Each structure stands twice: as C-alpha cells, then as structure tokens.
Amino acid sequence: QVQLVESGGGLVQPGGSLRLSCAASGNIFGINAMRWYRQAPGKQRELVAAITSGGTTNRADSVKGRFTISRDNAKNTVTLQMNSLKPEDTAVYYCNLELLRRGIRHDYWGQGTQVTVSS
C-alpha cells in the first residue's frame, strides 16, 4: 500500500510564495519519478513539475523561473517551492508518485491541496 500526504496549500496574495510538500510512505520501492500536477476549475489536469530518481527536473513553461521542485530521497518527500505566485496559479495541486517495477509503471496520487492566489 502506498500513501501520499500533501501539505502546504492555502491562500496567498499575488506575488507571494507557498511551499508544498508531499511525503510518500508504504510499499514505495522502485521510485522512478515524483511530480506535481494541478487542476484549475473547468480545466484539465496539467503537469507543473517533475523530478526523477536521478535528480533530473523539468517544469512547465508557465512556472519556469518561479517554481522549483526538489526531493529528499532519504525522507521520500518532494517539495514544490512556488514564488511570484499569480492568480492563474490558483488550482488544486496533486502529488504524483511513479513506481517502476519489472518494467511496469504504477502511478499513485495524493488527495490534492488547494492553492488560491488572490488579493
């Protein structure tokens, strides 16, 4: 069984910062990547940022220069530091864990955390 627990969402003014964290626990051997997605009302879920087990990162163009993804392998946590937040960053943010076992991909999701950017 795999559990993902997210924390750090909330209400922030434009230009402010938030830090999201996701802690993975349980049967999590074979971690290949951890990601953050977001879904705004009426929109499809989109990839925000990802980090592989080797530390390679990528981010959506819309957040480059503002968001940073990092990972603590010892604690099996992934963090999304969000700076210079904009109203269009408002969404529910979801943590994703990708496990790779014998060539088969397994995806797990957190419950989501609300981020609201508003004055």
Side-chain angles (χ1 to χ4, degrees):
Q1 190 172 2
V2 174
Q3 289 186 325
L4 298 174
V5 178
E6 300 156 348
S7 60
L11 172 65
V12 65
Q13 292 186 343
S17 298
L18 281 176
R19 186 179 181 91
L20 304 183
S21 292
C22 173
S25 62
N27 189 11
I28 55 174
F29 74 90
I31 294 179
N32 193 46
M34 297 185 78
R35 303 178 179 89
W36 286 98
Y37 286 78
R38 67 185 179 187
Q39 187 166 19
K43 295 188 177 181
Q44 289 188 330
R45 189 173 295 190
E46 63 173 352
L47 176 66
V48 177
I51 185 165
T52 69
S53 58
T56 301
T57 63
N58 70 284
R59 290 165 292 177
D61 288 342
S62 59
V63 306
K64 283 181 180 178
R66 301 188 298 122
F67 291 12
T68 302
I69 188 169
S70 60
R71 182 176 161 185
D72 185 333
N73 289 334
K75 296 181 179 180
N76 293 315
T77 60
V78 62
T79 299
L80 185 68
Q81 177 66 44
M82 305 185 294
N83 299 327
S84 303
L85 283 160
K86 304 176 181 180
E88 51 264 42
D89 295 318
T90 296
V92 178
Y93 284 69
Y94 296 91
C95 176
N96 165 258
L97 171 68
E98 176 192 327
L99 304 180
L100 196 61
R101 297 173 175 170
R102 298 182 180 180
I104 299 174
R105 174 173 170 168
H106 304 266
D107 281 279
Y108 298 89
W109 296 88
Q111 78 281 4
T113 185
Q114 177 70 47
V115 171
T116 302
V117 184
S118 175
S119 55

